[in-house]
């Protein structure tokens, strides 16, 4: 598959928890997580079914990771 596909929200949350990210708060409809060594909070809408690839890329950049790493992690762990 390509590198622009969305990821299921439950897989994204599992990924965050596996990388020691901690839930901070929900503000409006966005959930915020704080990850070790992140330059900013990781934000997504947990009520949505999928997380769009652009949002994944932005959040992964903050974590110092790539979208290819995320897809490989999901294949191996979900």
């Amino acid at each position: 598959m390509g590198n622009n596909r969305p990821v299921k929200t439950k897989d994204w949350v599992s990924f965050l928890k596996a990388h020691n990210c901690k839930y901070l708060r929900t503000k409006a409809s966005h959930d915020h997580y704080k990850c070790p060594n992140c330059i900013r909070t990781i934000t997504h809408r947990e009520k949505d079914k999928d997380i769009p690839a652009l949002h994944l890329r932005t959040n992964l950049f903050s974590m110092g990771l790539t979208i290819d790493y995320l897809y490989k992690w999901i294949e191996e762990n979900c």
Side-chain angles (χ1 to χ4, degrees):
M1 291 198 168
N3 286 339
N4 288 315
R5 66 186 190 271
V7 168
K8 292 179 183 176
T9 301
K10 68 178 184 73
D11 293 342
W12 175 244
V13 172
S14 296
F15 176 81
L16 292 176
K17 290 179 180 178
H19 287 80
N20 298 317
C21 301
K22 306 292 183 208
Y23 171 81
L24 289 178
R25 67 186 174 278
T26 299
K27 188 171 183 181
S29 62
H30 292 81
D31 295 313
H32 299 267
Y33 285 75
K34 180 63 180 161
C35 299
N37 303 319
C38 284
I39 58 176
R40 65 178 183 86
T41 59
I42 304 302
T43 304
H44 68 273
R45 289 174 43 134
E46 199 154 335
K47 71 174 190 166
D48 291 343
K49 180 180 171 184
D50 296 319
I51 308 294
L54 180 61
H55 295 193
L56 295 170
R57 288 180 187 275
T58 303
N59 284 322
L60 289 165
F61 178 79
S62 296
M63 296 173 74
L65 302 172
T66 65
I67 200 156
D68 291 328
Y69 175 80
L70 170 65
Y71 291 149
K72 184 175 180 180
W73 186 91
I74 289 172
E75 284 180 21
E76 295 173 356
N77 296 287
C78 292

